[in-house]
């Protein structure tokens, strides 16, 4: 969104006189009247380079002066703006640690409240606050140990001239070093006035008229003006970012993403695919050999896949996402689909995130498919060089029909003879960009292989619409019969003896148990030591049992050996770090103990819990909490007691952690939204998605005059390749 174009100098060679030059969206901020190089640099530090960036520096809240808040009236979780007087600034150490807490105490006529900071926002920040000075505090009210407080609120000087007295709803910008709210309000107001004078300098409306009319959206320019300068009659909805103007700007952020996804989807559909025939002989043989009947949801999903593979003329590559809760039997669906491709004479790749999982799938596939005369190969990083060369040769010749492996499968050296189907299992972090890489493994240029993606974690619908927005979706919404829900309990230190006795009783009945310890990167060494020490402790506590230890630092063959012994029932207890998080399937194991459960995300806990409850035995999950756990963490873990529904859990997880962390920031490929929030604005996201897809169905090449701006914007933002299909 930035531009480096420099406006022409005026006759005196100066840049400062914005008015005479005529401001444009792409004018660099330092050329705005009153900004200059110094403030310009400050803006750049915050990613604001141009007039457009400045206009997209949206208020994060509004102060509604009709609803002035008193400290006594605050409730947990509210986002509020408060005027108060500084009482004191204190600092002390957090518990016995060396971490410092800064505590700014403020009061009004109704009471006092603590504003806590766990780091210093910037040098000299706290020196600004002298007892008695007036401030405005903006932030979310937090409930901690029985009282309300603020954590890292915005605290601003409440100078009397900050606000015009006749303003009723006042925008509040995220405060940043060296740029005050007052400056921002003035500057943005000036920019809006200048742009209003000069119609040509504004970016023309990019969205087609029919779209704006049908959604009753204001123009972008009007919306920008209003969110920065709220109208006098602004309602409380306005202050809650729910005005038509906010709607318009939020819509825009989603719309451009969805338009890109829609163009990608159309592009995929236009690629040459592989035509397969509905050959079901081996599929039927496999079904007949299973000790159980497929669930209705497994059947339906397989049919949807089979339809993608066989029913399109001309053929186009499948890009389908299968979402199914843990234990819903996704592997079986993958194998059935693989059989269909193999029977058509094509090779299949099954890719998983970990070696343990690769080994497990390899075993399952061999057990079930070799009797049907199908050759299965294993491709992981730890296979010896000599064996690897041989395996690669078998793959290149077409002798291996199903290749199971990790990322090793997409190494350059690995070539297929005729790859027809790629299944990516348990990789919810496999975004749009990674998939593009795998596609190159198809036969060069002739066709694109079919893609099937199976997710470990049910993804909230809203998120699926962004990350996986270019895929078709099947949902396995049924668990195999006879599974009773996993009984889950949150436990404290005082419950430990009882927990141990419970595990002992289960082992005596012939069952097996997992003990899982967190392993987070920043304290990896300490954590690992903990897992190892606990392993020794548990050995003493369970003299009657054999215990195995599994962690990420072990060599792959050691890991596999431990896993095998646990699967074969030689070990009754497996002590592990989160390496067992995804996919591991040992139906006889029915107890999952998770230590320090407060340190895991909800979706991760759900995954871990999903390692039990996979067989006919009643299963149990115990979530142990460490000492001094925050209220928030406790609440989060409690969600696990309330529900076993992966979709509910993932929605809650997304709410609590936000989309970036939920998916892992780097891998997600998710754009940072400036105003939009996919949880709060889910409805607008759906609307933007519907519109984007409707545009492509009306005008697949975006050739209508009113759609040209869309086409140009896509080209500008994503380059020519993104528009391959539009031509
Ligand atoms: P996930 O969806 O978590 O990948 P899996 O494919 O690992 O689930 O299946 C979980 C367990 O359920 C496996 O032991 C598998 O053999 C078994 N299973 C799969 N489908 C069925 C079914 N229809 N009925 C009973 N058990 C099934
Ligand atoms: Mg699985």
């Amino acid at each position: 969104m930035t531009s480096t174009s420099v406006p022409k100098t005026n006759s005196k060679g100066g840049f400062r006189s914005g008015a005479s030059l005529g401001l444009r969206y792409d004018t660099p901020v330092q050329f705005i009247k009153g900004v200059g190089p110094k403030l310009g640099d400050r803006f750049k530090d915050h990613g604001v380079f141009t007039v457009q960036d400045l206009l997209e520096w949206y208020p994060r809240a509004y102060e509604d002066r009709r609803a002035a808040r008193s400290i006594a009236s605050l409730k947990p979780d509210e986002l509020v703006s408060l005027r108060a007087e500084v009482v004191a600034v204190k600092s002390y150490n957090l518990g016995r640690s060396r971490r410092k807490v800064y505590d700014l105490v403020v009061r009004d006529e109704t009471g006092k409240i603590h504003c806590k900071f766990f780091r210093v926002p910037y040098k000299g920040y706290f020196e600004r606050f002298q007892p008695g000075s007036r401030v405005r505090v903006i932030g979310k009210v937090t409930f901690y140990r029985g009282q309300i407080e603020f954590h890292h609120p915005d605290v601003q000087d409440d100078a009397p001239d900050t606000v015009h007295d006749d303003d009723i709803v006042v925008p509040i910008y995220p405060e940043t070093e060296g740029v005050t709210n007052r400056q921002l309000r003035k500057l943005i107001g000036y920019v809006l006035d200048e742009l209003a004078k000069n119609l040509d300098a504004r970016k023309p409306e990019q969205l087609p008229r029919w779209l704006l009319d049908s959604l009753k959206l204001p123009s972008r320019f009007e919306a920008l003006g209003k969110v920065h300068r709220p109208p006098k009659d602004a309602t409380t909805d306005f202050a809650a970012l729910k005005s038509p103007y906010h709607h318009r700007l939020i819509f825009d952020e989603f719309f451009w993403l969805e338009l890109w996804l829609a163009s990608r989807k159309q592009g995929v559909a236009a690629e040459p695919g592989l035509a397969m025939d509905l050959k079901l002989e081996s599929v039927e043989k496999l079904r007949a050999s299973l000790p159980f009947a497929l669930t209705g949801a497994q059947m339906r999903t397989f049919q949807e896949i089979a339809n993608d593979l066989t029913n399109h003329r001309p053929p186009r590559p499948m890009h389908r996402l299968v979402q199914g809760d843990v234990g819903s039997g996704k592997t079986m669906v993958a194998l059935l689909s693989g059989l269909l491709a193999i029977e058509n004479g094509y090779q299949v790749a099954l890719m998983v995130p970990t070696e343990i999982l690769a080994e497990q799938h390899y075993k399952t596939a061999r057990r079930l498919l070799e009797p049907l005369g199908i050759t299965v190969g294993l491709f992981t990083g730890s296979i010896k060089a000599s064996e690897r060369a041989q395996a690669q040769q078998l793959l290149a010749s077409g002798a291996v029909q199903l290749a199971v492996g990790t990322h090793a499968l997409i190494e350059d050296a690995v070539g297929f003879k005729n790859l027809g189907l790629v299944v990516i299992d348990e990789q919810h972090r496999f975004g749009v960009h990674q998939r593009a890489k795998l596609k190159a493994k198809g036969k060069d240029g002739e066709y694109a292989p079919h893609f099937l993606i199976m997710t470990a974690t049910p993804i909230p619908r809203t998120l699926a619409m962004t990350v996986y927005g270019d895929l078709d979706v099947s949902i396995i919404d049924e668990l195999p019969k006879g599974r009773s829900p996993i009984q889950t309990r949150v436990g404290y230190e005082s419950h430990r003896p009882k927990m141990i006795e419970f595990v002992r009783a289960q082992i005596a009945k012939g069952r097996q148990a997992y003990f899982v310890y967190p392993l987070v990167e920043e304290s990896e060494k300490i954590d690992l030591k903990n897992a190892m020490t606990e392993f020794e402790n548990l050995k003493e506590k369970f003299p009657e049992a054999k215990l195995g230890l599994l962690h990420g630092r072990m060599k792959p063959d050691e890991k596999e050996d431990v896993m095998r012994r646990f699967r074969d029932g030689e070990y009754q207890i497996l002590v592990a770090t989160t390496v067992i998080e995804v996919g591991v399937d040992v139906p006889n194991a029915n107890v999952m103990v998770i230590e320090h459960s407060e340190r895991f995300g909800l979706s991760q806990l759900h995954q871990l819990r999903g390692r039990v409850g996979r067989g006919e035995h009643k299963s149990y999950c115990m979530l142990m909490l460490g000492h001094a756990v925050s209220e928030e963490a406790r609440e989060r873990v409690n969600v696990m007691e309330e529900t076993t529904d992966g979709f509910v859990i993932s929605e809650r997880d997304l709410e609590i952690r936000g989309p970036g962390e939920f998916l892992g920031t780097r891998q997600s490929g998710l754009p940072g939204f400036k105003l939009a929030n996919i949880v709060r604005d889910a409805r607008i996201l759906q609307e933007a998605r519907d519109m984007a897809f409707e545009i492509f169905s009306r005008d697949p090449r975006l050739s209508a005059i009113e759609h040209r701006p869309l086409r140009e914007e896509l080209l500008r933002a994503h380059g020519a390749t993104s528009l391959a299909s539009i031509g």
Side-chain angles (χ1 to χ4, degrees):
M1 292 280 171
T2 60
S3 157
T4 50
S5 80
V6 174
K8 292 185 209 76
T9 57
N10 62 21
S11 55
K12 291 190 185 115
F15 291 116
R16 303 296 293 276
S17 164
S20 65
L21 292 168
L23 276 189
R24 299 163 44 95
Y25 268 87
D26 57 3
T27 304
V29 273
Q30 69 269 29
F31 299 138
I32 301 171
K33 190 173 155 198
V35 174
K38 216 168 136 203
L39 190 53
D41 284 347
R42 296 249 170 81
F43 276 126
K44 281 181 203 160
D45 292 343
H46 299 300
V48 174
F49 296 90
T50 62
V51 163
Q52 171 162 344
D53 296 337
L54 187 63
L55 290 176
E56 289 172 1
W57 190 329
Y58 297 119
R60 81 172 239 194
Y62 294 88
E63 182 187 351
D64 186 343
R65 305 180 101 202
R66 287 163 304 196
R69 296 302 299 271
S70 62
I71 289 174
S73 74
L74 301 181
K75 294 194 186 63
D77 290 335
E78 286 183 305
L79 179 67
V80 297
S81 157
L82 188 84
R83 312 182 90 121
E85 177 192 327
V86 173
V87 178
V89 187
K90 300 178 224 165
S91 72
Y92 49 85
N93 286 354
L94 188 61
R96 253 169 288 159
S97 79
R98 286 169 59 195
R99 278 183 56 197
K100 264 209 152 99
V101 184
Y102 295 85
D103 186 4
L104 169 69
V105 189
V106 301
R107 73 164 166 229
D108 66 7
E109 312 76 59
T110 67
K112 271 196 229 172
I113 189 163
H114 294 259
C115 307
K116 290 190 183 157
F117 295 81
F118 303 102
R119 62 193 136 71
V120 185
Y122 53 79
K123 213 166 149 248
Y125 185 84
F126 292 104
E127 272 94 271
R128 301 184 310 160
F129 306 121
Q130 297 306 319
S133 59
R134 305 283 314 172
V135 289
R136 193 202 321 251
V137 181
I138 302 116
K140 196 169 153 191
V141 182
T142 308
F143 192 67
Y144 181 69
R145 299 213 168 153
Q147 64 175 20
I148 54 165
E149 55 192 40
F150 288 107
H151 292 170
H152 289 269
D154 281 350
V155 183
Q156 309 179 356
D157 299 327
D158 192 16
D161 57 343
T162 329
V163 189
H164 300 294
D165 274 341
D166 54 344
D167 281 345
I168 290 173
V169 175
V170 183
I172 294 161
Y173 296 92
E175 201 195 16
T176 21
E177 183 177 4
V179 189
T180 66
N181 260 265
R182 186 158 35 131
Q183 269 174 315
L184 274 171
R185 274 201 289 269
K186 255 178 79 180
L187 205 59
I188 293 175
Y190 169 76
V191 164
L192 286 166
D193 287 339
E194 287 302 308
L195 289 173
K197 279 185 210 158
N198 182 359
L199 283 176
D200 299 339
R202 266 154 42 192
K203 217 187 213 166
E205 178 59 66
Q206 288 174 296
L207 302 189
R209 189 76 248 164
W210 63 264
L211 189 158
L212 296 181
D213 288 346
S214 79
L215 296 178
K216 300 200 173 59
L217 292 176
S219 78
R220 183 168 172 88
F221 188 69
E222 186 188 2
L224 284 169
K226 290 286 183 2
V227 302
H228 289 293
R229 288 199 290 207
K232 298 268 178 271
D233 57 352
T235 60
T236 41
D237 267 2
F238 187 100
L241 313 183
K242 283 184 185 142
S243 74
Y245 313 108
H246 292 95
H247 187 158
R248 165 68 208 253
L249 299 174
I250 291 166
F251 180 89
D252 280 10
E253 291 187 1
F254 289 142
F255 176 76
W256 293 112
L257 172 66
E258 291 298 335
L259 194 70
W260 175 56
L261 290 166
S263 82
R264 275 193 53 93
K265 187 161 180 184
Q266 176 176 281
V268 164
E271 281 172 44
L274 278 176
M276 296 188 186
D277 295 323
L278 197 60
K279 296 183 175 165
L280 293 176
E281 203 180 309
S282 339
V283 169
E284 288 306 334
K285 276 191 196 150
L286 175 59
R287 262 182 72 176
S289 75
L290 295 174
F292 48 74
L294 296 176
T295 65
Q298 282 172 314
M299 297 277 285
R300 179 170 37 75
T301 303
F302 172 69
Q303 270 156 14
E304 283 165 358
I305 295 163
N307 191 44
D308 286 349
L309 299 186
T310 61
N311 253 354
H312 292 290
R313 295 287 178 271
R316 56 181 162 91
M318 166 174 74
H319 276 233
R320 182 170 290 277
L321 172 71
V322 173
Q323 287 204 50
D325 212 340
V326 256
S328 61
K330 293 184 288 291
T331 314
M332 199 50 67
V333 173
L335 291 180
L336 293 167
S337 313
L339 277 180
L340 181 55
I342 290 169
E343 202 160 324
N344 273 277
Y346 293 102
Q347 287 172 298
V348 176
L350 173 54
M351 212 173 115
V352 296
T354 66
E355 300 213 345
I356 291 179
L357 204 49
E359 306 261 3
Q360 180 184 290
H361 277 10
Y362 174 64
K363 288 220 173 83
T364 309
R366 280 188 61 180
R367 178 166 56 81
L368 294 171
L369 304 190
E370 275 183 358
L372 307 176
I374 286 162
T375 312
V376 185
L378 178 65
F379 296 80
T380 62
S382 61
I383 290 172
K384 287 188 212 81
S386 57
E387 288 173 37
R388 195 182 311 175
Q390 199 199 354
Q392 280 170 2
Q393 213 201 330
L394 288 175
L395 194 62
S397 73
V400 166
Q401 293 157 292
L402 171 63
V404 182
T406 57
H407 271 74
L409 268 177
I410 48 174
E411 277 168 23
D412 288 339
V414 179
F416 292 81
K417 177 159 178 267
N418 57 354
L419 180 60
L421 170 68
V422 179
V423 184
I424 298 167
D425 190 23
E426 309 281 16
Q427 301 236 63
H428 63 289
R429 293 178 175 184
F430 220 79
V432 175
H433 300 287
Q434 287 92 336
R435 263 179 283 140
K437 225 160 115 188
L438 244 175
K439 199 187 291 178
K441 291 281 167 193
K443 237 177 180 180
D444 313 282
E446 265 179 61
Y447 62 81
H450 295 289
F451 269 93
L452 188 61
I453 293 156
M454 319 197 110
T455 62
T457 315
I459 297 170
R461 256 171 46 78
T462 48
L463 198 54
M465 266 190 264
T466 55
V467 194
Y468 290 122
D470 58 336
L471 302 179
D472 294 309
V473 178
S474 297
I475 296 180
I476 307 186
D477 51 4
E478 186 184 349
L479 291 180
K481 282 201 192 63
R483 302 249 175 100
S484 52
I486 301 159
Q487 196 175 320
T488 303
R489 285 282 170 272
V490 174
Y492 299 90
E493 249 348 273
S494 57
H495 299 127
R496 187 169 295 278
K498 249 175 115 179
M499 179 270 282
I500 296 285
E501 286 320 306
F502 183 83
V503 176
R504 193 185 312 286
Q506 290 296 319
I507 289 175
K509 285 186 193 163
R511 301 288 81 74
Q512 289 164 286
Y514 296 96
F515 279 77
V516 177
Y517 293 84
L519 188 61
V520 287
E521 259 163 48
E522 58 265 29
S523 56
E524 203 169 309
K525 275 203 188 114
I526 306 168
D527 282 341
L528 194 55
K529 209 173 113 226
N530 286 345
M532 286 171 168
T533 332
E534 286 309 315
F535 176 59
E536 296 304 323
N537 285 344
L538 285 172
K539 268 201 216 161
E540 280 172 27
K541 287 203 173 106
F542 293 97
E544 75 276 27
K546 281 191 87 178
L547 287 77
L549 174 66
L550 189 71
H551 60 76
R553 291 283 177 80
M554 288 163 59
K555 292 206 194 75
D557 50 340
E558 292 171 348
K559 278 195 245 176
E560 171 49 24
D561 185 56
V562 171
M563 230 18 250
R564 202 199 70 242
R565 287 167 195 264
F566 185 63
R567 202 176 298 140
D568 294 347
E570 194 179 315
Y571 292 143
Q572 287 81 48
I573 295 177
L574 184 65
V575 179
T577 58
T578 46
V579 288
I580 60 149
E581 184 184 338
V582 292
V584 167
D585 186 32
V586 181
N588 187 51
N590 74 330
V591 184
M592 168 63 66
V593 180
I594 303 176
E595 298 282 357
H596 284 287
S597 56
E598 75 278 4
R599 286 169 62 181
F600 295 86
L602 278 182
S603 296
Q604 215 180 357
L605 289 177
H606 182 64
Q607 272 301 316
L608 286 168
R609 178 167 62 183
R611 297 311 111 215
V612 297
R614 313 194 125 239
E616 75 262 33
H617 313 290
K618 167 101 190 119
S619 295
Y620 306 88
C621 175
M622 281 164 263
L623 303 170
M624 304 302 287
L625 289 173
H627 295 290
V629 174
S630 78
E631 198 72 35
E632 183 256 316
R634 197 169 303 198
E635 222 172 273
R636 182 157 43 97
V637 173
N638 280 338
V639 173
M640 299 298 294
E641 271 188 348
E642 289 158 24
T643 180
T644 51
D645 183 328
F647 283 92
V648 174
I649 288 171
S650 70
E651 295 280 357
R652 292 291 296 271
D653 201 22
L654 180 61
E655 272 168 39
I656 293 170
R657 288 195 296 162
E661 202 166 328
F662 182 88
L663 284 175
T665 21
R666 266 159 312 161
Q667 288 113 317
S668 72
L670 206 71
F673 297 118
K674 290 179 178 172
L675 187 60
N677 171 315
I678 60 173
V679 177
R680 182 192 65 205
D681 305 319
R683 235 196 58 244
I684 303 178
L685 174 56
Q686 180 70 55
E687 188 177 82
R689 178 171 177 78
D690 291 346
M691 279 298 168
F693 280 79
E694 181 171 340
I695 286 171
F696 273 100
S697 75
R698 285 186 184 204
D699 181 9
R701 306 173 72 86
L702 301 183
S703 53
I705 292 212
E706 57 176 350
H707 296 152
R708 291 261 171 87
L710 304 179
R711 195 190 150 93
E712 274 154 29
E713 181 60 29
L714 276 182
L715 270 171
R716 198 194 56 71
H718 302 287
T721 50
S722 73
L723 290 186
S725 69
I726 307 175

